[in-house]
């Protein structure tokens, strides 16, 4: 089948502003949008630029706006979208070229929530014990691949780009609810800031956008509740 | 901004005591060791660290913890040696099996969210070729976090690197390795964002760039796995070891090669042919589906060849339907989703069509057990150069790697690499560096960017991947490999005239794909030459014209050196300590 792939293009070395270009590509129903992008790049226009690596939804490189929703290009099929597919860079981020956006601020916010285990107690010779129930408590948020689909879909982030954003809160949640971690206080303090969890308006865009199926809004609410509990 | 199509002449020089190329499991753990030792270190990656392919590893990481049943590192070592068809260096396998235990424990201490047993210990499951008491039966040795163990490892190590303030250079593509006068002096990198050339002057360089599965048409490997570090070392006079041993994994998604973890069989999944038969009972009666990967892949091909593929076609079934929803969803959630998304199959109720997929390079840059690169038959060290992870060949995998030993390898030897580098740089100044050191690669890049007519990257790459898969995959034979030698040579000639359409400096992925194709061609050349020369069958290297293992003539490692003409082949002995070679029966 033939697919019309419409792409928002921008080359800072040639273009004053972004513009749409449409490519007609031969494609199969089970093809990923990434396959269609590759077909354009490899057979029609080598200047088309996007990030990609694993091509099966685990590395997080190819999040983009596809038919109006943030998704991974390698995890959405042509037959799920139809014959007209429109692709644009992730909203809310500065565009470097075509579908490539500047991720530096996103990763800086990720780092700002201390996304690493904090446990300075002496370690045992073997593993620390953790019950399957305690392990299950934070399972959902361990799945995050830092693709930025959530943060880029968040109207609160669009409105105020100093908001730390859903992805960073997800990463904080993963440690706050891990019984082995001792750093909850410092993380909750960071997230109690004006640009922390209180900017969330429970719009659920993040949860809908997450290609890993993480219940992000719920995670944010759990972190908010922990902040409230801590302060009383 | 610089004019389109011309590189700025500015040369940005950075000085670091240690430089790590690649930010997967090996590179990150090495970085962590160096950071803890206070060594000024830079980590360069052409992606962001969390995009590295370690994150795609699924099933688990083996360590003889014995959390469910008796286990010993000696058993793990034996399984590794036997699984590798006795081409494994046994001193290295001993290090691997012993240090696997402390490595897994340290991962837990870093916060890795392993699945847990009811009493709170790290959960373990069965995996191919891992047995108790020297081959008696499958043992529960693979520590895991659902079927996203690699993701958890990558995240955990990156988190720890952030905690320890490791300096990352994200989206820097390394384009040359600086070795002069027998001493490593640094690397040259191309900053993807703006096309600037950066020189990293350093007396200690770790190559941790991963594999090169993209030289095959059907592969589980990421698009970025193009053998960059392996090819750069090869170009700078370092030999490559055992390149003919490339692992073809039994269970990939038909047509596109995405991996469906061996954990599916470790949890009890079956392989079935068209008549519903569990055909592995004819090939490996004791371990069945959990025989080593090379044997299972060959068995699948034999079934297909003899018309017992599903509906006579070129695939068989991975059947999980008897495992039940709970096991499938709790222990194999990601691969279940892959089957749903990429095949439209519901594994809880339907068998999953699978076919073998190119997966892992057992060969690579030769190193000793301290991750120092060695360049000849007597293991002479090249000062300042280190390699760890899939790009390296220690050799712990020999002719066929066991499942999960990739993660063990990258972490055990990534950790050792960091420690070796920290030791070696202590008290040493930075090496002298020719001020024009980046000129050769700068000229190459300018020539590539400036070429106005020529052949497309895609055409050459597609042809390479097709012929490599056809003639250098599961089954090989002399005539086919000779033909392939000529085909790869022709493709290399055509590559000399390759053209990129994008002439810009900003995020020029067209240019980078062209560079990557050059690396793949080098890896392919070495693989084919080594495969043609080895007139025996061992592990993943199966010659239909020489179907038997031949220890008399071939119990030795291949070393391949690049020359102006055909590559030069040399051989070095295998280190045998505890286990004398025996026929490999499962």
């Amino acid at each position: 089948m033939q697919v019309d792939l419409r792409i928002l293009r921008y080359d800072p070395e040639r273009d004053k502003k972004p513009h749409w270009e449409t490519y007609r590509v031969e494609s199969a129903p089970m093809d990923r949008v990434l396959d269609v992008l590759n077909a354009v790049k490899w057979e029609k226009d080598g200047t088309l630029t996007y990030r990609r690596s694993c091509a099966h939804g685990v590395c997080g490189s190819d999040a983009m706006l596809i038919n109006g929703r943030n998704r991974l290009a390698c995890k959405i099929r042509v037959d799920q979208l139809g014959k007209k597919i429109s692709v644009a860079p992730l909203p809310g981020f500065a565009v470097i070229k075509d579908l490539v956006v500047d991720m530096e601020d996103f990763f800086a916010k990720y780092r700002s929530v201390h996304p690493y285990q904090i446990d300075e107690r002496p370690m045992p010779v073997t593993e620390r014990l953790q019950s399957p129930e305690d392990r299950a408590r934070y399972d959902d948020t361990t799945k995050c691949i830092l693709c930025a689909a959530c943060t880029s879909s968040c109207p609160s982030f669009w409105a105020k780009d100093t908001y730390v954003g859903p992805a960073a809160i997800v990463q904080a949640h993963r440690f706050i609810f891990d019984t082995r971690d001792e750093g909850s206080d410092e993380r909750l303090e960071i997230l109690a800031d004006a640009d922390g969890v209180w900017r969330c308006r429970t719009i659920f865009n993040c949860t809908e956008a997450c290609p890993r199926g993480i219940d992000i809004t719920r995670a944010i609410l759990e972190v908010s509740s922990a902040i409230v509990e801590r302060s009383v | 901004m610089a004019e389109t199509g011309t590189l700025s002449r500015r040369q940005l020089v950075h000085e670091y005591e240690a430089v790590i190329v690649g930010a997967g499991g090996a590179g990150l753990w090495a970085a962590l060791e160096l950071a803890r030792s206070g060594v000024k270190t830079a980590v360069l990656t052409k992606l962001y660290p969390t995009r590295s392919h370690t994150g795609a590893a699924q099933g688990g990481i083996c360590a003889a913890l014995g959390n469910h049943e008796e286990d010993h590192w000696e058993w793990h070592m034996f399984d590794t040696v036997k699984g590798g068809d006795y081409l494994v260096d046994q001193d290295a396998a001993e290090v691997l099996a012993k240090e696997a235990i402390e490595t897994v424990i340290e991962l837990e201490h870093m916060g890795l969210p392993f699945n847990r047993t009811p009493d709170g210990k790290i959960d373990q499951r069965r995996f191919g070729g891992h047995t108790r008491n020297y081959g008696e039966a499958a043992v529960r040795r693979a520590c895991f976090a659902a079927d996203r163990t690699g993701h958890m490892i990558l995240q955990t190590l990156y988190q720890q690197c952030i905690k320890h303030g490791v300096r990352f250079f994200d989206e820097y593509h390394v384009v040359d390795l600086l070795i002069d006068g027998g001493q490593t002096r640094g690397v040259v990198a191309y900053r993807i964002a703006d096309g600037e050339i950066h020189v990293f002057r350093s007396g200690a360089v770790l190559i941790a760039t991963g594999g090169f599965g993209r030289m095959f048409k059907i592969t589980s490997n990421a698009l970025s796995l193009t053998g960059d570090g392996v090819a750069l070392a090869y170009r700078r006079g370092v030999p490559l070891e055992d390149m003919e041993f490339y692992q073809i994994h039994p269970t990939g998604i038909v047509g596109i090669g995405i991996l469906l973890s061996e954990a599916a069989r470790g949890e009890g999944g079956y392989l079935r042919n068209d008549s519903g038969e569990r055909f592995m009972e004819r090939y490996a009666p004791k371990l069945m589906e959990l025989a080593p990967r090379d044997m299972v892949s060959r068995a699948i091909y034999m079934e297909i060849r003899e018309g017992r593929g599903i509906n006579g076609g070129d695939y068989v079934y991975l059947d999980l339907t008897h495992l039940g929803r709970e096991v499938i969803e709790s222990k194999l959630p990601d691969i279940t989703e892959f089957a749903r998304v990429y095949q439209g199959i519901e594994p809880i109720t339907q068998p999953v069509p699978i076919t073998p997929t190119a997966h892992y390079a057992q060969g690579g840059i030769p190193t000793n057990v301290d991750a120092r690169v060695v360049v000849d038959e007597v293991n002479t060290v090249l000062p300042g150069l280190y390699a760890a992870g899939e790009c390296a060949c220690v050799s712990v995998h020999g002719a066929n790697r066991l499942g999960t030993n990739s993660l063990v390898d990258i972490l055990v030897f990534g950790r050792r690499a960091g420690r070796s580098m920290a030791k070696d740089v202590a008290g040493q100044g930075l090496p002298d560096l020719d001020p024009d050191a980046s000129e050769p690669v700068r000229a190459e890049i300018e020539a590539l960017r400036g070429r106005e007519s020529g052949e497309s990257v895609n055409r050459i790459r597609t042809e390479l991947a097709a012929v490599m898969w056809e003639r250098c995959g599961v089954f090989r034979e002399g005539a086919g490999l000779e033909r392939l030698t000529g085909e790869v040579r022709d493709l290399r000639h055509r590559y000399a005239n390759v053209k990129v359409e994008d002439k810009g400096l900003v995020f020029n992925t067209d240019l980078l794909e062209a560079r990557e194709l050059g690396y793949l061609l080098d890896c392919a050349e070495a693989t084919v030459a080594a495969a043609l020369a080895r007139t025996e069958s061992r592990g993943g290297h199966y010659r239909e014209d020489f179907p038997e293992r031949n220890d008399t003539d071939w119990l030795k490692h291949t070393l391949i050196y690049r020359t102006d003409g055909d590559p030069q082949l040399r051989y070095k002995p295998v280190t045998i300590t505890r286990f004398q070679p025996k026929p490999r029966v499962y």
Side-chain angles (χ1 to χ4, degrees):
Chain A
M1 66 190 263
Q2 289 196 322
V3 169
D4 285 329
L5 183 66
R6 188 166 159 263
I7 307 172
L8 191 60
R9 306 276 321 251
Y10 171 67
D11 179 349
E13 294 173 273
R14 291 191 304 201
D15 304 326
K16 286 205 172 64
K17 57 180 188 179
H19 60 281
W20 291 96
E21 279 184 37
T22 301
Y23 304 85
R24 180 156 289 187
V25 183
E26 193 58 41
S27 146
M30 293 297 281
D31 279 353
R32 301 157 278 195
V33 169
L34 179 60
D35 294 317
V36 185
L37 286 168
N38 286 341
V40 172
K41 182 171 183 67
W42 294 343
E43 288 156 27
K44 293 179 185 290
D45 185 349
T47 68
L48 178 63
T49 303
Y50 47 95
R51 292 189 178 101
R52 82 288 179 279
S53 188
C54 79
H56 65 288
V58 299
C59 84
S61 297
D62 62 354
M64 52 189 75
L65 186 70
I66 300 172
N67 283 11
R69 271 184 58 182
N70 284 353
R71 324 180 198 234
L72 300 179
C74 63
K75 215 177 168 182
I76 183 81
R77 299 189 311 260
V78 168
D79 68 345
Q80 295 170 299
L81 296 169
K83 291 184 177 177
K84 290 198 186 301
I85 300 173
S86 140
V87 177
L90 283 178
F93 289 16
V95 176
I96 293 174
K97 182 176 175 181
D98 291 343
L99 303 168
V100 173
V101 297
D102 187 339
M103 300 289 286
E104 290 301 315
D105 179 61
F106 175 81
F107 278 102
K109 284 173 174 153
Y110 160 73
R111 289 190 297 268
S112 77
V113 302
H114 301 180
Y116 40 77
Q117 177 180 266
I118 298 169
D119 180 4
E120 307 310 328
R121 294 169 294 190
M123 291 290 166
V125 178
T126 60
E127 70 266 48
R128 293 164 295 174
L129 300 181
Q130 183 170 53
S131 71
E133 296 71 33
D134 285 345
R135 165 66 179 79
R137 181 69 188 82
Y138 63 100
D139 183 66
D140 200 31
T141 45
T142 64
K143 295 187 293 191
C144 174
I145 55 174
L146 293 163
C147 70
C150 58
T151 297
S152 157
S153 74
C154 174
S156 303
F157 171 73
W158 301 337
K160 192 147 190 339
D161 67 6
T162 51
Y163 172 36
V164 69
I169 301 172
V170 161
Q171 290 287 338
H173 179 282
R174 176 252 170 276
F175 289 101
I176 290 167
F177 293 93
D178 183 341
T179 50
R180 300 171 298 173
D181 185 87
E182 286 200 303
S184 292
D185 279 346
E186 62 187 78
R187 284 192 208 93
L188 292 173
E189 199 156 310
I190 292 163
L191 291 171
D193 183 85
D195 284 321
V197 288
W198 310 121
R199 294 220 176 272
C200 173
R201 297 285 180 270
T202 57
I203 299 163
F204 286 90
N205 275 15
C206 53
T207 303
E208 283 174 24
C210 180
R212 300 288 285 166
I214 301 170
D215 194 344
I216 300 176
T217 309
R218 178 179 165 159
I220 296 173
L221 291 175
E222 287 178 351
V223 173
S224 311
S225 302
I227 291 171
V228 172
E229 281 168 29
R230 181 172 165 264
S231 62
V232 292
Chain B
M1 185 170 293
E3 186 190 334
T4 295
T6 57
L7 275 176
S8 132
R9 304 304 298 177
R10 197 152 59 102
Q11 173 174 278
L12 298 154
V13 180
H14 308 260
E15 296 185 339
Y16 282 88
E17 288 176 276
V19 168
I20 294 170
V21 185
L28 291 179
W29 201 315
L32 200 50
E33 292 294 333
L34 286 158
R36 286 169 176 163
S37 302
V39 177
K40 190 185 172 198
T41 306
V43 180
L44 280 60
T45 166
K46 64 178 177 178
L47 308 168
Y48 276 88
T50 58
R51 318 297 188 215
S52 305
H53 206 55
T54 295
Q58 299 168 358
I61 174 167
C62 272
L65 302 184
N67 283 352
H68 290 277
E69 54 186 317
E70 184 183 356
D71 199 5
H72 302 282
W73 67 260
E74 292 90 342
W75 296 355
H76 185 185
M77 174 188 168
F78 170 78
D79 291 336
T80 300
V81 170
K82 182 181 174 186
D85 224 350
Y86 294 90
L87 195 71
V88 172
D89 283 326
Q90 296 187 16
D91 54 338
E94 182 167 334
V95 167
L96 177 96
K98 276 184 185 166
E99 295 187 10
I101 297 168
E102 58 195 74
T103 299
V104 165
I105 297 300
E106 195 174 343
L107 282 173
E108 196 286 324
H109 291 170
M110 289 179 193
L112 195 133
F114 284 109
N115 278 39
R116 299 287 173 157
T117 64
D119 55 356
K121 293 179 183 169
I122 294 171
D123 202 359
Q124 296 186 279
R125 64 179 161 209
R126 297 180 186 90
F127 237 83
H130 290 278
T131 70
R132 69 175 147 82
N133 203 18
Y134 308 104
E136 266 180 25
V139 71
R140 293 177 73 171
R141 185 179 290 150
C143 311
F144 64 99
D147 55 355
R148 38 182 96 102
T149 314
H151 164 76
M152 301 300 190
I153 288 173
L154 186 65
Q155 295 284 327
T156 301
L157 290 174
Y158 185 53
Q159 291 156 3
Q160 290 293 310
C161 284
I162 291 170
K163 185 177 182 180
H164 287 86
V166 171
R167 177 77 169 92
F168 285 96
F169 290 82
D170 298 329
E171 297 189 325
Y172 280 65
H173 197 134
V174 168
V175 288
D176 205 358
L177 180 60
L178 302 173
I179 300 172
D180 190 21
Q183 164 68 44
T184 306
R185 294 169 193 276
V187 300
V188 184
Y190 175 99
R191 188 175 186 231
I192 298 172
D194 59 10
E196 287 276 16
I197 296 288
H198 291 243
V199 175
F200 289 79
R201 180 179 163 209
S202 178
V205 172
L206 172 64
I207 302 174
T209 53
F212 39 87
R214 298 311 300 190
M215 71 183 182
F216 295 105
K217 181 180 169 189
I218 303 294
T219 177
S220 63
N221 281 201
L223 288 152
S224 50
L225 287 177
T226 49
D228 306 9
V230 173
L232 288 174
Y234 186 49
R235 289 176 190 181
R236 296 290 160 246
V238 175
L240 302 179
E241 180 175 351
D242 292 344
M243 291 291 282
E244 63 271 43
F245 299 101
Y246 197 93
Q247 179 165 83
I248 314 288
H249 192 290
T251 56
I253 288 181
V254 176
I256 50 178
I258 294 170
L259 190 71
L260 297 177
S261 173
E262 191 170 296
R265 286 170 284 137
E267 293 291 350
Y270 299 149
L271 293 173
R272 295 188 191 279
N273 61 19
D274 195 41
S275 63
E277 180 202 13
R278 284 179 69 190
F279 55 86
M280 282 311 298
E281 62 195 7
R282 285 186 275 111
Y283 299 90
K286 204 187 289 179
L287 289 188
M288 301 281 281
E289 283 87 353
L290 291 178
R293 291 174 177 171
D294 60 322
M295 298 176 82
V296 180
S297 288
R298 273 196 297 281
I300 293 170
Y301 264 58
M302 290 305 294
E303 293 301 298
I304 290 169
R305 269 191 180 185
E306 290 169 15
R308 294 192 290 272
I310 306 304
N311 299 320
D314 55 0
Y315 62 92
V316 297
Y317 280 143
L318 173 64
D319 184 1
L320 309 179
T321 56
H322 56 287
L323 298 181
R325 177 181 295 273
E326 201 201 317
V327 167
I328 292 176
E329 291 194 336
S330 67
K331 301 232 172 120
L332 306 166
D334 276 7
I335 63 165
T336 304
E337 191 177 17
F338 299 156
R340 288 173 185 150
V341 173
Y342 301 112
Q343 296 178 287
I345 295 285
E346 175 46 68
I348 293 169
T349 55
Q350 294 174 284
V352 184
I354 57 94
T355 185
T357 180
H359 186 53
Y360 187 88
Q362 278 116 181
I365 302 166
T367 73
N368 61 24
V369 294
D370 295 312
R372 296 190 176 95
V373 171
V374 292
V375 293
D376 58 22
E377 297 89 334
V378 292
N379 294 319
T380 304
V381 169
L382 172 59
L385 192 62
Y386 308 78
E390 188 176 342
C391 66
C393 180
V394 186
S395 142
V396 288
H397 309 306
N400 171 66
R401 172 174 73 73
L402 290 189
T404 84
N405 270 356
S406 52
L407 292 175
V408 186
D409 175 10
I410 67 174
L411 301 182
V412 164
F413 293 101
R415 188 168 80 144
R416 282 182 159 246
R419 291 177 181 181
S420 296
M421 293 167 82
K423 199 166 137 196
D424 294 351
V425 302
Q428 299 290 317
L430 292 179
D432 294 332
L433 189 62
D434 178 349
D436 294 327
S438 66
E439 282 309 314
V441 74
R442 185 189 296 271
E444 277 175 32
I445 290 172
E446 289 197 2
L448 183 57
R449 195 196 305 267
R451 196 172 297 133
E452 289 300 332
S453 67
E455 211 172 341
S456 84
V457 170
N458 184 51
R459 188 179 306 168
I460 297 172
R461 184 175 52 203
T462 305
E463 285 185 33
L464 173 72
V467 293
M468 285 296 290
W469 187 236
E470 176 72 23
R471 297 189 233 297
C472 206
V474 171
F475 290 120
R476 303 164 172 182
E477 47 91 29
L481 290 168
E482 271 171 25
R483 184 171 164 199
L484 181 57
T485 304
E487 288 167 330
V488 172
R489 190 187 300 128
D490 288 348
L491 289 167
R492 288 171 66 89
H493 288 146
R494 284 163 55 187
Y495 175 73
N497 195 32
V498 76
K499 187 190 83 161
V500 298
E501 282 178 55
D502 194 337
K503 306 295 182 191
L505 291 169
V506 175
F507 226 96
N508 188 337
T509 54
D510 202 25
L511 181 78
L512 297 179
E513 287 190 22
R515 291 283 308 178
E516 291 173 330
L517 173 58
Y519 301 142
L520 284 177
L521 283 161
D522 284 357
C523 292
E525 174 194 81
T527 302
V528 176
L532 178 59
R534 186 175 283 269
T535 49
E536 66 155 354
S537 289
R538 182 186 298 272
H541 173 67
Y542 190 82
R543 287 281 301 258
E544 296 198 84
D545 43 353
F546 297 93
E548 301 298 326
R549 193 175 90 190
N550 174 356
D551 287 344
T552 311
D553 299 319
W554 287 106
L555 186 59
K556 57 188 181 185
H557 297 293
T558 304
L559 292 177
I560 187 159
Y561 295 78
R562 195 174 193 212
T563 72
D564 290 337
D566 292 334
Q568 185 198 359
L569 289 156
R570 286 152 63 175
Y571 294 91
K572 75 173 177 181
V574 176
T575 305
I576 294 170
T577 57
R578 290 171 181 249
F579 305 112
Q580 288 304 312
K582 284 187 191 157
R584 201 171 55 134
V585 180
Y586 286 93

